[in-house]
Amino acid sequence: MKTPFAHRIFFVCALLVAVSATARAQENYEIQVYGSETLPPGYTMVELHSNFTFKGSKRTDDGTLPTHHAWHETIEITHGFNSWFETGFYIFTSARNGNGWDWVGDHIRPRVRVPESKHLPVGLSLSAEIGYQRRRYSANTWTLELRPIIDKQVKRWYFSFNPTLERALKGPDTRRGFEFSPNAKVSYDLTKKITGGLEYYGATGPVTSFDPFREQEHQFIPSIDLNVSPNWELNFGVGVGATRSTDHLLVKVIVGRRFRFKKRH
């Protein structure tokens, strides 16, 4: 934390936490701040993203289902093709009392990064996620997300910033153009196997004119990462909403396993 770079990154993250930030209420399916690293070639990561909203919306004005007491399960399958390119595929599902278990939609996410051989002072990558979600779960049925990813490990500290841009391709929000949804994470290695952190997710509105603060969505998630093996990803967090437009309380769990399938000769 004594390097000038670390101070700048910490200031950016602190500013984000102070003025904005969360995933949209109907988009709490894959709640994760991305790191810049891509999967090595030949490896496949299978992840299960689970979250339950204890306090969410009990009614909506756009015909979508409320999020109160909604259980979301998302399967993410990612494959690394070379040292700088991977592609992920998502299957979103939702369950809620009175609505049963339902398929929500699918997304695909190619991602490229600057290889480590370039020796940049920070990790840098870019993902583009496009997909469909059913009308009862999202007013916008086709969406596009562009996510730049900037991260840095400084001894025990880790910083990641995702200044995400989202756009509705089909639905009532197409006229709003690209909207700013910044995500950030600050974490510290408490031990070799336990990392404590604070995650932030935001939706502030169109990049040309932010929504009023009360209509923005801001959520903070204290989290724990368990570093039990390079082949496993284990993340737990409790999310608290900071505005009336945000789900007020949720719990999330991510369990991931990395595989490498050897070719038969």
Side-chain angles (χ1 to χ4, degrees):
M1 288 293 295
K2 295 183 180 180
T3 66
F5 177 84
H7 281 297
R8 289 196 294 269
I9 293 294
F10 182 81
F11 173 77
V12 170
C13 294
L15 181 63
L16 287 171
V17 169
V19 301
S20 81
T22 182
R24 291 177 176 259
Q26 288 290 352
E27 298 179 0
N28 287 337
Y29 294 99
E30 187 251 350
I31 308 173
Q32 183 178 28
V33 179
Y34 282 56
S36 64
E37 185 179 4
T38 55
L39 275 178
Y43 281 85
T44 299
M45 173 72 85
V46 179
E47 296 172 89
L48 180 64
H49 300 259
S50 309
N51 65 76
F52 181 79
T53 303
F54 286 94
K55 287 186 178 181
S57 62
K58 295 184 178 180
R59 59 186 179 86
T60 63
D61 298 325
D62 58 5
T64 57
L65 293 176
T67 60
H68 187 67
H69 285 184
W71 184 283
H72 294 160
E73 295 283 357
T74 296
I75 298 173
E76 178 184 359
I77 303 172
T78 306
H79 183 75
F81 291 94
N82 56 38
S83 62
W84 52 269
F85 177 68
E86 70 174 23
T87 297
F89 180 75
Y90 301 90
I91 304 170
F92 303 127
T93 69
S94 178
R96 188 171 178 271
N97 187 28
N99 301 116
W101 205 283
D102 218 353
W103 169 71
V104 175
D106 298 318
H107 284 195
I108 190 169
R109 176 193 52 77
R111 180 147 67 102
V112 297
R113 73 158 175 165
V114 178
E116 294 179 357
S117 60
K118 299 300 181 181
H119 303 295
L120 293 183
V122 296
L124 188 63
S125 65
L126 174 67
S127 74
E129 183 175 327
I130 187 170
Y132 167 82
Q133 45 278 335
R134 297 171 62 194
R135 177 63 181 81
R136 68 189 312 210
Y137 293 100
S138 174
N140 302 301
T141 53
W142 282 92
T143 55
L144 169 68
E145 174 191 282
L146 300 177
R147 182 186 295 257
I149 303 161
I150 308 163
D151 69 353
K152 179 71 174 181
Q153 184 81 42
V154 183
K155 296 183 179 180
R156 290 191 173 189
W157 288 93
Y158 173 76
F159 308 91
S160 181
F161 178 42
N162 302 173
T164 308
L165 298 175
E166 299 177 347
R167 181 179 177 85
L169 301 179
K170 185 176 181 180
D173 291 338
T174 54
R175 58 181 175 79
R176 289 166 63 88
F178 278 101
E179 300 187 46
F180 188 46
S181 298
N183 302 338
K185 180 172 183 174
V186 179
S187 66
Y188 182 80
D189 293 335
L190 302 173
T191 70
K192 290 183 178 180
K193 296 187 179 296
I194 301 176
T195 299
L198 177 65
E199 300 174 11
Y200 149 87
Y201 301 87
T204 59
V207 294
T208 54
S209 178
F210 286 174
D211 292 331
F213 184 79
R214 65 182 180 277
E215 297 177 12
Q216 298 176 15
E217 298 181 16
H218 305 273
Q219 191 173 69
F220 304 94
I221 302 183
S223 63
I224 292 291
D225 292 286
L226 300 181
N227 311 306
V228 297
S229 165
N231 290 325
W232 283 93
E233 178 183 13
L234 300 170
N235 171 269
F236 309 88
V238 178
V240 179
T243 68
R244 69 178 188 180
S245 298
T246 310
D247 286 342
H248 296 299
L249 179 64
L250 62 80
V251 174
K252 67 141 181 171
V253 178
I254 301 174
V255 179
R257 178 69 163 88
R258 180 186 296 191
F259 300 91
R260 185 177 186 182
F261 302 100
K262 295 182 179 180
K263 296 181 179 180
R264 293 184 179 180
H265 296 284

